[in-house]
Amino acid sequence: MPDVLGPYEGESLVGTAMRTKSARIEFWDAGVIAVEPDQPGDKDVIFSCAVHGDETAPIEIVRDMITDILADNLAVTHRTLFLIANPAAIVNGTRFIDVNMNRLFSGAHVQGDTPEHRRAAKLEQYVSRFFKQQRRYHYDLHTAIRDSAHEKFAVYPFTHGGPYKKEQLTFLAECGVDTILLNQAPTTTFSYYSVREHNADAFTVELGKVRPFGENDMSRFTDADTMFRKLISTSELDLPKFDSNRHHVYDVSRSIDRTAEDFRLNFADNVANFTEFELGHLLAVDGENEYTVEQPGERIIFPNAKVALGQRALLTVVPMPVENLKLV
Ligand SMILES: [Zn+2]
């Protein structure tokens, strides 16, 4: 078996395939690797990483899974597609080359012609080509820019009124992802694309804070790594019974956009995601407008005062009792 993930000189694997003991490995494109087991189970599973090129830990998790598959140390029993979404940004060591790729799915890529627009269009095609069976899963793996009061959390894309799945909440909790952020509107993220276009169970999974390659403490990802491997290598996961006490659920309360040149956030740059402020606390000043905490338990997430005019500078979220969710 050649060392396909190590240094190689000039020889591209794109368009080629190779075998392990129990599967065919196809290299569809740079960073697009499909594993077709000889006797596939009934799940189709996608792991994507590097939609943001500097989010290194998920790349290392995916790299290690692929390495173990090629070395016959991980026997895959379900069809699996690995997507290393933005190789150019990884090489560049940046979040993206021209634009944030996670705003370009569900067709939004037609509105431009940057490397990210073109790649997002291709990634959609690969997802469409891959998903064949009824049971479809897509975990889009990220790390956050800042610290988080809940280190690991997942965005549950808009369900259009459909129920939330206990099995998926439990799977995520077993991965160490005990916090769920509900998205209450269509978006142009990769995970929402797979939900909407392919009826997959799909999530944007935030696994911790961004660090440079080699500086990630991989022990912090052990639970996620273990569950990802089990998902693709065992016929049926043996998950514990759903327990509502395991999950913190938040609903988006407000999206605060920057509309004025004179915009500032009234808290320190290093304040963690999911930090709670007192009722009445001034959060942001946008020109003449002041935004204060309006609801008990309201917390901030994804603050960025430097966004372009008209873009979202801050989200606030409020806790939602798990009992209030429509669950199946
Ligand atoms: Zn990200």
Side-chain angles (χ1 to χ4, degrees):
M1 178 80 51
D3 178 13
V4 294
L5 298 171
Y8 61 90
E9 287 170 6
E11 189 185 350
S12 171
L13 288 161
V14 172
T16 69
M18 59 179 64
R19 281 201 54 82
T20 64
K21 279 181 187 157
S22 59
R24 176 182 160 86
I25 317 293
E26 299 175 356
F27 300 89
W28 291 0
D29 194 351
V32 180
I33 299 164
V35 182
E36 296 281 359
D38 295 336
Q39 286 160 345
D42 64 351
K43 299 179 190 174
D44 291 349
V45 182
I46 297 179
F47 292 109
S48 55
C49 64
V51 164
H52 297 134
D54 60 353
E55 297 179 359
T56 51
I59 303 166
E60 295 180 299
I61 290 170
V62 164
R63 174 202 64 192
D64 292 349
M65 274 198 278
I66 295 168
T67 303
D68 282 343
I69 290 166
L70 291 171
D72 276 315
N73 290 328
L74 175 60
V76 175
T77 55
H78 294 287
R79 299 180 63 245
T80 304
L81 180 66
F82 296 100
L83 296 172
I84 299 161
N86 196 342
I90 299 174
V91 172
N92 214 30
T94 53
R95 188 170 169 80
F96 46 76
I97 302 293
D98 281 301
V99 287
N100 180 358
M101 188 188 275
N102 216 17
R103 302 285 181 272
L104 296 181
F105 292 93
S106 294
H109 50 76
V110 300
Q111 290 158 11
D113 191 30
T114 71
E116 276 83 17
H117 286 84
R118 294 192 290 272
R119 180 71 171 179
K122 282 191 170 178
L123 291 174
E124 288 190 356
Q125 289 169 17
Y126 298 136
V127 171
S128 298
R129 173 175 162 189
F130 175 72
F131 275 140
K132 287 180 181 161
Q133 308 189 93
Q134 291 294 318
R135 299 177 74 187
R136 302 171 176 185
Y137 305 88
H138 178 184
Y139 301 95
D140 183 36
L141 308 179
H142 291 249
T143 45
I145 299 169
R146 61 182 53 236
D147 286 320
S148 178
H150 297 293
E151 185 191 42
K152 295 180 171 63
F153 61 97
V155 178
Y156 208 126
F158 187 40
T159 62
H160 293 262
Y164 298 94
K165 295 190 178 170
K166 290 180 188 172
E167 177 207 56
Q168 287 302 302
L169 295 178
T170 301
F171 174 75
L172 289 166
E174 290 287 298
C175 291
V177 182
D178 65 354
T179 300
I180 301 291
L181 181 60
L182 305 179
N183 226 335
Q184 300 290 18
T187 58
T188 47
T189 62
F190 202 8
S191 59
Y192 177 74
Y193 165 77
S194 287
V195 170
R196 192 62 179 156
E197 297 299 322
H198 300 284
N199 205 22
D201 290 322
F203 301 87
T204 305
V205 185
E206 298 280 356
L207 290 171
K209 195 178 173 185
V210 171
R211 312 227 185 266
F213 275 119
E215 290 182 24
N216 291 301
D217 174 2
M218 297 310 279
S219 70
R220 302 184 83 86
F221 309 107
T222 303
D223 289 348
D225 184 59
T226 301
M227 290 309 293
F228 295 162
R229 287 166 182 254
K230 275 188 185 169
L231 176 65
I232 59 176
S233 66
T234 56
S235 58
E236 211 55 62
L237 286 174
D238 188 16
L239 291 172
K241 205 167 171 304
F242 177 75
D243 174 1
S244 61
N245 294 318
R246 296 183 77 181
H247 311 282
H248 305 278
V249 179
Y250 292 91
D251 203 3
V252 172
S253 171
R254 286 184 289 167
S255 176
I256 296 172
D257 295 344
R258 178 185 183 192
T259 66
E261 281 299 336
D262 171 27
F263 182 92
R264 68 187 170 85
L265 295 170
N266 191 39
F267 46 82
D269 274 349
N270 60 357
V271 162
N273 277 329
F274 292 104
T275 295
E276 184 177 343
F277 290 95
E278 285 173 21
L279 214 54
H281 184 98
L282 179 66
L283 292 175
V285 179
D286 180 40
E288 302 286 295
N289 293 323
E290 292 193 340
Y291 292 93
T292 58
V293 174
E294 291 175 344
Q295 297 181 67
E298 194 169 6
R299 294 165 181 233
I300 60 102
I301 189 167
F302 302 137
N304 185 355
K306 298 195 185 87
V307 292
L309 290 183
Q311 300 270 302
R312 184 188 83 199
L314 181 68
L315 274 184
T316 71
V317 298
V318 287
M320 175 184 261
V322 178
E323 295 71 33
N324 290 9
L325 290 182
K326 187 161 95 182
L327 293 166
V328 67

